[in-house]
């Protein structure tokens, strides 16, 4: 996801966040509200922590008020490390509390309170370190005043301020520090001074997750809670026309049958009671405009935009003149729709009462959840309290908050009663907001062993048009140009364009968004051009990266780790590389087999995120990203017939099984001076690297995803 939401945030909120960036809130006794218009709470009282990042209790307990939501990417550890580095405490002693909805927690790279786009560490890199450094400076000043010594003579270590043999704990100093003026300029550590950033560390939430103690949204339990099962129209976008509940409401354990417009819910004492009763509710559906939509029609819609000029994502030189001089090579690439397939299906617990609305949900977008909950309940947003839970898989699905609106609408029918809505796996697969399908029209020309002209036109629906109206300007959706606008190759004549073409159903952000779509087309086509130029694909790429040393370095490392140029008999290698979310990455796939069946043997990835705040998690994210990349590459797809999604569960929307998982190696390089994104970087290159390896092995070029639809069994 790209940094394109700034203009969607009101000016006042933007100014408030900018004013807040250099301040901190320090919890119980050391508190400064993070907002230009907010007052400092008096010392000795509970601070207003809604806009704070750090709190320090009288017993010295340091708490990070975490501005991003945890969905496996381990922001709780990485962001705690940023605070701990400057504050001078052990990260394992930092308690993490999830932030509420508040403008101060806006993600400056996205312009809203969103967890996504591999932005959490990039966004927090300076702000959270500055919060820790500000707290440290005030604590040192308080200790120095108490001892009557210059602050410059004091130092901090493990939660104490030290001066010679004397030491004072942070908790003992918090009240005095809270009375001091907040410094406007604090010194941050240099990279050479880091003692926590970049060091091995077990993730802070790992023990609880391993022992089953972590509470995800689906685990929420509240006194008096009821359970809801929901029937939704089998046609995407359809609504309830009418329903007949018969005697369902009179059954033991059933409390109510509720129509919420896009579905009918049964609310009962237990979920299985609700689910079983729901089967006997007779529902007539208004199937809507998508009732005749199928996959062929969707692709025809994209093909119908082939002659549109599109909006320019990146341009250099004169492509038309270059093609006039050199024969063009053309290719058509396509990418399929995909479900998110989160392990935790969509769910939400809601209570609508006289005192407002409470929502317990796994969400990547608490601001959005608050907004739709308010609309569903008929109250103002400030009357909605979002209790964000651990997320059992997000991948972009939980940026949408449709399930939150549904839960609140159901709960509104049972005032002051918490109601938990849980979708089935079939609901989750058939009512997802799918990754957009895309069509890529490619043209290229080579001369003297190099690319002299390169053109791409990507045609796809725009997710952003639906979710953030007004952000798309002059035909450019910043998310659609990911993986294209940041192309690192030096090509003298370049023309990369996008065309927005809607397809009649909702689409959503899927892990790595358009990086995966564009990378498949671009890196596969670059490989085609390398072979057309009779060049080794590795040498061919490196020749276009003379001024991008970090990109060259990851390509060379991945190639070395994979044994480029020396594949075993019956094996072949394929290469793909890109810059993704300010991180440089390269992947080599090794395959074996023949033209009938190909087996993916190994994936060797090299990644340079600049600075790896939590190296163990960088490696873990690469490994997990490669699994998502395999979902994209090999067999996964969503298809429609008569407006209905044909896949329902993991038997027909298949994820990689353990025997299908290739060996993986991850090489971590650190060539930059600040962190790049990590959470989605492992995904995009899997498909083109495998496709290029398949070509090297069989001579067959597969230009559509999933690769298994290309006539070769892959597994």
């Amino acid at each position: 996801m790209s940094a394109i939401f700034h203009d969607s945030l009101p000016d006042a909120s933007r100014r408030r966040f900018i004013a807040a960036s250099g301040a901190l809130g320090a919890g119980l006794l050391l508190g400064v509200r993070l907002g230009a218009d907010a007052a400092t709470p008096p010392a000795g009282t509970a601070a207003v922590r809604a806009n704070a990042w750090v709190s320090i209790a009288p017993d010295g307990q340091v708490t990070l008020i975490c501005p991003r939501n945890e969905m496996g990417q381990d922001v709780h550890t990485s962001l705690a490390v940023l605070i701990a580095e400057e504050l001078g405490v052990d990260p394992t002693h930092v308690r993490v509390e999830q932030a509420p909805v508040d403008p101060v927690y806006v993600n400056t790279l996205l312009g809203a309170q969103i967890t996504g786009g591999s932005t959490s560490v990039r966004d927090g890199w300076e702000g959270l370190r500055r919060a820790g450094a500000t707290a440290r400076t005030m604590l040192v000043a308080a200790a120095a005043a108490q001892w009557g010594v210059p602050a410059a003579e004091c130092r901090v270590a493990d939660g104490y301020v030290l001066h010679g043999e004397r030491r004072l704990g942070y908790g003992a100093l918090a009240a005095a520090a809270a009375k001091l003026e907040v410094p406007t300029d604090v010194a941050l550590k240099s990279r050479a001074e880091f003692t926590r950033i970049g060091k091995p560390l077990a993730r802070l939430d790992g023990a609880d997750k391993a022992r089953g103690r972590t509470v995800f949204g689906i685990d929420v339990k509240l006194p008096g809670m009821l359970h809801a099962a929901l029937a939704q129209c089998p046609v995407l976008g359809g609504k309830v026309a009418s329903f007949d509940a018969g005697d369902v409401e009179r059954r033991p354990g059933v409390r109510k049958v509720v129509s919420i417009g896009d579905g009918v819910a049964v609310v009962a004492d237990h979920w299985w009671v609700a689910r079983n009763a729901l089967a006997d509710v007779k529902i007539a559906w208004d199937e809507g405009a998508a009732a005749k939509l199928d996959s062929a029609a969707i692709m025809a819609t994209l093909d119908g935009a082939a002659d549109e000029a599109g909006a320019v994502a990146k341009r250099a030189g004169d492509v038309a003149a270059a093609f006039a001089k050199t024969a063009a090579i053309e290719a058509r690439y396509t990418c399929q729709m995909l479900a998110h397939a989160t392990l935790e299906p969509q769910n939400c617990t809601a209570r609508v009462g006289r005192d407002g609305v409470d929502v317990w949900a796994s969400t990547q977008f608490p601001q959005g959840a608050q907004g739709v909950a308010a609309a569903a309940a008929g109250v103002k947003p400030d009357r909605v309290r979002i209790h964000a839970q651990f997320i059992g898989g997000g991948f972009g699905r939980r940026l949408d908050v449709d399930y939150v609106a549904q839960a609140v609408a159901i709960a509104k029918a049972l005032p002051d009663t918490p109601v938990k809505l849980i979708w089935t796996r079939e609901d989750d697969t058939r009512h997802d907001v799918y990754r957009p399908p895309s069509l890529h029209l490619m043209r290229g020309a080579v001369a003297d062993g190099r690319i002299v002209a390169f053109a791409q036109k990507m045609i796809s629906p725009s997710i952003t048009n639906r979710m953030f109206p007004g952000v798309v300007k002059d035909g450019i959706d910043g998310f659609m140009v990911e993986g294209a606008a940041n192309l690192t190759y030096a090509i003298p004549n370049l023309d990369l364009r996008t065309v927005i073409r809607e397809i009649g159903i909702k689409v959503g952000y899927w892990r790595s968004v358009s990086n995966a779509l564009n990378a498949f087309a671009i890196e596969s086509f670059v490989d085609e051009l390398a072979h057309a130029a009779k060049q080794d694909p590795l040498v061919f790429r490196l020749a276009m990266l003379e001024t991008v040393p970090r990109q060259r370095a990851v390509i060379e490392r991945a190639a070395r780790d994979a044994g480029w140029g020396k594949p075993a008999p019956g094996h072949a290698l394929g290469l793909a590389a890109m810059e993704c979310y300010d991180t440089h990455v390269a992947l080599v796939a090794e395959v074996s087999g023949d033209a009938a069946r190909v087996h993916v043997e190994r994936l060797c990835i090299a990644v340079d995120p600049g600075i790896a705040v939590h190296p163990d998690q960088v490696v873990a994210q690469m490994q997990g990203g490669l699994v998502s990349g395999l979902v994209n590459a090999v067999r996964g797809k969503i298809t429609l017939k008569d407006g209905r999604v044909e896949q329902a569960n993991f038997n027909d929307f298949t994820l990689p099984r353990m025997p299908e998982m290739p060996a993986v190696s991850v090489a971590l390089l650190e060539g930059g001076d600040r962190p790049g994104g990590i959470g989605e970087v492992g995904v995009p290159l899997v498909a083109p690297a495998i496709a290029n390896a398949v070509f090297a092995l069989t001579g067959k070029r597969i230009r559509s995803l999933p690769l298994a639809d290309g006539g070769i069994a892959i597994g």
Side-chain angles (χ1 to χ4, degrees):
M1 298 175 70
S2 302
I4 66 167
F5 289 157
H6 297 294
D7 289 339
S8 67
L9 190 68
D11 287 343
S13 297
R14 264 204 309 275
R15 287 194 299 272
R16 184 179 179 191
F17 183 85
I18 292 168
S21 299
L24 83 159
L28 186 62
L29 294 180
L30 175 57
V32 179
R33 184 173 172 83
L34 285 176
D37 55 351
T40 301
T45 66
V48 180
R49 300 198 324 172
N51 288 340
W53 284 324
V54 183
S55 72
I56 301 174
D59 63 359
Q61 175 66 61
V62 175
T63 299
L64 163 66
I65 314 302
C66 188
R68 303 292 161 253
N69 298 92
E70 172 56 47
M71 52 185 168
Q73 82 282 34
D74 200 25
V75 291
H76 281 190
T77 303
S78 298
L79 300 187
V81 166
L82 297 182
I83 291 285
E85 180 67 73
E86 294 291 347
L87 190 52
V89 296
D90 184 338
T92 63
H93 296 162
V94 176
R95 190 174 69 88
V96 180
E97 179 180 308
Q98 197 62 51
V101 178
D102 193 283
V104 75
Y105 297 117
V106 161
N107 185 326
T108 59
L109 296 178
L110 296 175
Q113 192 172 341
I114 281 176
T115 303
S118 298
T119 58
S120 295
V121 172
R122 287 187 291 161
D123 173 60
W125 173 243
E126 290 191 3
L128 290 179
R129 286 192 301 141
R130 194 168 301 283
T134 303
R136 181 195 71 229
T137 301
M138 297 172 72
L139 291 163
V140 167
Q146 184 170 329
W147 289 327
V149 300
E153 294 181 4
C154 301
R155 61 188 180 88
V156 299
D158 298 324
Y160 290 90
V161 179
L162 309 174
H163 182 268
E165 298 298 318
R166 293 182 290 188
R167 71 176 192 171
L168 284 169
Y170 286 176
L173 291 166
K179 298 175 183 178
L180 301 177
E181 184 176 349
V182 179
T184 58
D185 187 21
V186 293
L188 301 182
K189 289 184 179 181
S190 68
R191 188 171 185 173
E193 296 174 302
F194 291 160
T195 59
R196 306 296 185 183
I197 292 173
K199 308 304 180 187
L201 177 68
R203 56 183 297 161
L204 300 184
D205 60 8
D208 280 352
K209 286 182 174 176
R211 291 168 173 80
R213 291 195 292 251
T214 301
V215 176
F216 295 88
I218 203 168
D219 300 319
V220 168
K221 295 179 181 179
L222 299 168
M225 184 175 74
L226 300 178
H227 300 262
L230 179 68
Q232 302 181 69
C233 183
V235 173
L236 294 174
K239 303 293 183 183
V240 177
S242 63
F243 76 98
D244 180 2
D247 65 352
V248 167
E249 283 191 345
R250 292 194 292 273
R251 295 184 184 181
V254 173
R255 300 299 187 93
K256 202 170 189 67
V257 180
V258 182
S259 174
I260 58 170
D262 60 352
V264 174
V266 172
V267 183
D269 293 339
H270 302 283
W271 189 84
W272 277 110
V273 172
R275 185 66 185 170
N276 290 335
L278 186 63
D280 292 328
V281 177
K282 297 178 176 61
I283 307 171
W285 299 104
D286 174 0
E287 295 185 347
K292 300 301 180 183
L293 191 63
D294 61 26
S295 295
I298 288 173
M299 191 50 63
T301 297
L302 300 186
D303 277 315
D307 292 333
E308 294 186 21
V312 176
K314 189 169 186 176
R315 177 187 286 163
D318 189 333
V319 168
F323 282 133
K325 296 178 182 178
T326 310
I329 299 166
E330 298 187 352
R332 177 184 183 273
Y333 282 82
T334 61
C335 298
Q336 79 283 42
M337 292 198 299
L338 286 173
H340 293 83
T342 61
L343 185 60
E344 178 192 14
Q346 309 317 304
N347 64 88
C348 177
T349 302
R351 185 189 69 85
V352 179
R354 290 181 295 275
D355 59 341
V357 179
D358 287 282
V359 171
W360 294 263
S362 303
T363 177
Q364 295 174 242
F365 188 14
Q367 271 183 323
Q370 185 184 57
V372 299
V379 301
K380 293 182 178 179
D382 62 7
R383 298 274 290 163
V384 177
R385 296 169 290 273
I386 301 295
H387 310 279
Q389 306 298 305
F390 278 86
I391 302 172
F395 314 130
R397 175 58 179 96
R398 285 178 161 93
L399 288 168
D400 270 271
V401 287
D402 46 343
Y403 53 96
V404 174
Q406 291 173 338
V408 173
I410 296 167
K412 186 179 180 182
L414 294 99
D416 293 310
T417 304
V419 179
K420 180 193 286 188
L421 168 68
I422 300 177
W423 287 17
T424 64
R425 175 59 56 193
E426 289 75 14
D427 293 333
D428 201 63
T429 304
R430 288 180 165 163
H431 293 280
D432 201 347
V433 283
Y434 305 100
R435 188 185 75 168
S438 62
L439 168 65
H440 306 257
L441 304 177
M442 316 297 294
R443 295 186 80 205
V446 294
D448 300 323
R450 299 181 68 115
I451 298 177
V452 294
F454 189 93
Q456 178 206 25
K457 185 187 294 182
M458 176 202 187
I459 304 169
S460 176
S462 168
I463 308 158
T464 315
N465 263 345
R466 171 179 67 87
M467 289 196 68
F468 303 100
V471 172
V472 177
K473 295 180 179 179
D474 301 322
I476 289 287
D477 175 349
F479 294 126
M480 285 180 64
V481 303
E482 291 176 334
N486 54 327
L487 191 70
T488 55
Y489 297 127
I491 300 173
N493 301 289
L494 186 70
D495 190 89
L496 306 179
R497 295 171 181 259
T498 60
V499 176
I500 295 173
R501 178 55 60 96
E502 304 303 341
I503 59 173
I505 61 171
K506 293 178 181 179
V507 291
Y509 300 114
W510 194 93
R511 191 175 185 182
S512 83
V513 198
S514 292
N515 280 291
L517 306 176
N518 286 316
F520 173 61
I522 290 173
E523 282 300 292
S524 295
F525 192 57
V526 166
D527 201 74
E528 288 199 54
L529 296 179
H531 288 283
K534 300 184 178 353
Q535 294 288 311
D536 177 280
L538 170 64
V539 175
F540 190 71
R541 285 174 170 83
L542 292 177
M544 297 185 286
L545 294 167
E546 294 175 348
T547 62
V548 194
R550 291 175 63 194
Q551 191 67 30
R552 288 180 60 93
V554 292
I555 291 176
E556 291 169 341
R557 178 59 184 272
R560 184 167 69 251
D561 289 350
W564 186 267
K566 300 175 289 185
H571 291 230
L573 302 176
L575 170 65
M578 70 186 305
E579 182 272 320
C580 182
Y581 300 119
D582 298 332
T583 290
H584 294 269
V585 60
L587 177 66
V588 175
E590 180 180 353
V591 302
S592 64
D594 52 35
R597 174 169 288 276
V598 170
H599 180 65
V600 183
E601 299 280 353
R602 188 166 52 134
L603 298 173
C604 297
I605 192 167
V607 57
D608 177 0
I611 293 176
V613 171
H614 185 201
D616 296 348
Q617 190 60 14
V618 171
V619 173
Q621 285 291 286
M622 290 301 102
Q623 295 167 335
L626 294 177
V627 176
S628 292
L630 286 168
V631 174
N632 171 42
V634 180
R635 289 191 305 273
K637 62 179 177 180
I638 288 293
T639 56
L640 268 68
K641 183 178 181 180
D642 295 330
R644 293 159 169 82
V645 173
E646 295 185 286
Q647 293 72 30
N649 209 313
F650 291 139
N651 63 306
D652 48 16
F653 185 83
T654 54
L655 305 182
R657 272 46 173 184
M658 290 297 290
E660 298 172 317
M661 189 63 200
V664 168
S665 71
V666 180
L668 176 58
L669 291 68
E670 295 185 80
D673 58 3
R674 60 188 299 114
I678 280 298
E680 298 161 273
V681 172
V683 177
L685 297 180
V686 178
I690 294 175
N692 294 340
V694 168
F695 177 80
L697 180 72
T698 68
K700 181 170 184 177
R701 179 67 64 181
I702 302 177
R703 298 188 180 94
S704 63
L705 294 180
L707 297 173
D709 285 357
I712 298 177
I714 299 177

